[in-house]
Amino acid sequence: MDQKTHESVQLDPEATETATPITCARCGTAADGTPPTWTCSVENGSRRYFCDDCARANIRAIEGRLDSSWW
């Protein structure tokens, strides 16, 4: 069988950085860069980020895929 292999891709760090700082959609906490432990949710076509504390406090609603307006 002939299978195509995927080539490794080098990402440009400047292209992956966002121009606006990331803030928690619930409490407004600002983050430096993109925090790997924050939760990202797509609601009505837009991304919303939630800090560790807000995500922990609402984990059941997040896992139930409820919009943040319901928490």
Side-chain angles (χ1 to χ4, degrees):
M1 289 182 149
D2 291 333
Q3 293 181 342
K4 292 184 178 181
T5 58
H6 296 284
E7 296 178 20
S8 63
V9 177
Q10 296 291 327
L11 295 177
D12 182 12
E14 293 178 13
T16 58
E17 292 294 320
T18 57
T20 59
I22 295 176
T23 58
C24 177
R26 185 121 176 111
C27 69
T29 301
D32 286 336
T34 304
T37 57
W38 282 30
T39 301
C40 177
S41 174
V42 177
E43 298 176 12
N44 298 322
S46 64
R47 287 182 185 234
R48 294 181 182 214
Y49 293 93
F50 300 98
C51 68
D52 296 331
D53 294 333
C54 290
R56 283 188 197 114
N58 298 291
I59 192 68
R60 289 181 151 264
I62 292 169
E63 288 179 346
R65 299 191 182 268
L66 296 175
D67 283 345
S68 59
S69 61
W70 285 92
W71 327 338

